[in-house]
Amino acid sequence: MIRFDKVSKTFRRNTVLNEIDLDISAGDRVALVGSNGAGKTTLIRCLLGEYTCEGRITVAGQAPREHRREVLAKFGFVPQLPPPLKMPVGQLIRFSAALCGAEPARMEAVAEKLGLDPAKVRHQPFVKLSGGQKQKLLISIALGRDSEILIMDEPAANLDPEARHVFFGLLAEKQDHSAMLISSHRLDEVAALVNRVIEMDQGLIVLDDHVADDIDINSRLYCRVGLTRALPAFAKTIAEWGFKDIDSGQTWEGIVAGPDRLRFLGIISRYAGILKNIQMEEQTS
C-alpha cells in the first residue's frame, strides 16, 4: 500500500532522511518512534506530499506529489499540533467533509462519541477550543470518513481516559482494513495499539520489528489499587483516570482501556513507595 524507495531529504546540507526503504501494508499498525530530530515528522510530511524528496514514495502505486488529490483522499490525518485555524467549528466540519466527499454528520457523530457536542461549539473559532476539544475534533474529522490509511501524531495525548477508550474502539473498527502509522516519542504510549514498531534515529530506520498482537484494542480492564497510606497527590492523579475512592484514600477502583495499561502502570509506578497491591482483570462483557 505504502512504499518508500531510497527516500532522502536534506535541509541546508543536513540530511534528515537517509535512503529510507520501507513498505507498509493494509492491516499494519505501525508505531513510528524516535527522539526529536530522528526524522519522524519529515517522513510523514514527505508521505503527505508536503515536501519534495529524493527517491520515490508511492501510495497504492501513486506518487503523493504527482497525484496529490487522489493520494490525500486515502488519508485520515491527526497532527500533533493543532493548526491555528480561526474558522468556526461548524464551518470547519463542513469544509473538511466536502474535501473528501464525506457526510458532516458522520464527523459530528464521532465527536459526540468522544464527548464533544458539535452543536455547543459550532460557532466557536477552532483556535479558541481547549486542547482536548481540538484533539477530539481533529480525530473526528480523520475517523468520520472513509480512509485507507490513518496517520496520527501523538493522537491521544490530550484526551481524557473515557475519550481514549472510545478512540481505541474507533481504531479497532478500522484495524483490519486500514494501514495505521502512529508517531510517538514514547513506545509505552502506543505499544498496545500496534503490531509493528519502526524506530528512527538520525534519519535512519534502526529497528523494524513485528510485535505480538494479542491485545484487543477495544478491551477494558477492571483495576483496584491499594496503598499503605492515603496521599493527596495520588488521589488527584488517580481521580483524573475516573477512579473512585472506596476506603478513605487507601483503596481505589476504576476502569482502564486495554491499550492504556502500560501508560497507567507507568503513572502508578511514580508512587511505588506507598503501593500495597494492584489488581487488574480484563472485563468479559
Side-chain angles (χ1 to χ4, degrees):
M1 181 175 285
I2 299 172
R3 180 172 179 78
F4 291 81
D5 187 10
K6 303 296 181 187
V7 172
S8 297
K9 179 64 180 176
T10 302
F11 293 104
R12 297 180 181 179
R13 299 183 181 179
N14 179 32
T15 300
V16 182
L17 298 178
N18 190 357
E19 295 195 345
I20 298 293
D21 287 319
L22 179 64
D23 289 286
I24 300 174
S25 304
D28 281 348
R29 303 192 307 277
V30 179
L32 183 64
V33 298
S35 60
N36 287 330
K40 305 188 304 297
T41 299
T42 300
L43 185 77
I44 289 174
R45 289 185 174 178
C46 289
L47 176 58
L48 293 172
E50 295 179 12
Y51 289 162
T52 59
C53 59
E54 298 178 16
R56 183 167 175 79
I57 302 173
T58 55
V59 179
Q62 295 179 309
R65 296 282 295 186
E66 298 168 11
H67 303 277
R68 190 160 175 76
R69 186 179 183 86
E70 295 86 348
V71 169
L72 288 180
K74 302 178 187 296
F75 287 118
F77 177 50
V78 181
Q80 179 183 10
L81 298 176
L85 297 174
K86 297 181 179 180
M87 188 182 298
V89 169
Q91 184 180 347
L92 176 58
I93 291 175
R94 293 192 301 273
F95 174 75
S96 301
L99 285 179
C100 59
E103 291 292 332
R106 286 183 60 188
M107 297 179 179
E108 292 174 350
V110 174
E112 290 175 355
K113 290 180 180 179
L114 291 168
L116 176 66
D117 186 348
K120 291 184 177 180
V121 296
R122 186 176 305 278
H123 301 294
Q124 292 186 32
F126 175 79
V127 72
K128 296 293 186 180
L129 299 179
S130 69
Q133 289 175 322
K134 290 176 183 176
Q135 195 76 351
K136 289 175 182 179
L137 187 58
L138 292 173
I139 290 172
S140 301
I141 290 171
L143 300 186
R145 52 168 292 182
D146 295 324
S147 56
E148 300 175 27
I149 301 164
L150 290 173
I151 301 176
M152 298 167 284
D153 198 344
E154 305 282 1
N158 291 316
L159 298 183
D160 56 85
E162 181 57 31
R164 287 173 69 93
H165 177 73
V166 172
F167 172 58
F168 298 146
L170 293 168
L171 292 185
E173 295 174 2
K174 294 178 175 287
Q175 64 180 339
D176 295 328
H177 310 291
S178 300
M180 300 183 192
L181 186 61
I182 306 174
S183 178
S184 180
H185 293 94
R186 296 176 53 183
L187 180 58
D188 62 343
E189 291 280 341
V190 296
L193 286 175
V194 303
N195 55 19
R196 184 177 175 188
V197 176
I198 293 175
E199 183 178 358
M200 296 189 67
D201 184 37
Q202 297 183 355
L204 296 169
I205 293 177
V206 296
L207 173 71
D208 184 355
D209 194 17
H210 287 80
V211 296
D213 191 18
D214 298 328
I215 295 176
D216 179 2
I217 294 179
N218 205 28
S219 65
R220 286 179 182 250
L221 301 171
Y222 164 78
C223 300
R224 185 183 178 103
V225 181
L227 307 178
T228 57
R229 60 182 173 86
L231 183 69
F234 181 87
K236 181 179 179 181
T237 297
I238 202 75
E240 291 175 354
W241 284 75
F243 274 59
K244 303 298 182 183
D245 175 11
I246 60 173
D247 182 23
S248 302
Q250 290 187 249
T251 305
W252 297 79
E253 65 177 10
I255 303 298
V256 173
D260 260 344
R261 66 185 71 194
L262 285 178
R263 181 170 176 264
F264 176 74
L265 290 173
I267 290 173
I268 293 298
S269 69
R270 301 172 190 172
Y271 304 94
I274 60 170
L275 286 179
K276 185 177 181 180
N277 53 67
I278 301 176
Q279 177 186 354
M280 301 182 76
E281 296 180 357
E282 188 164 344
Q283 291 188 312
T284 56
S285 60

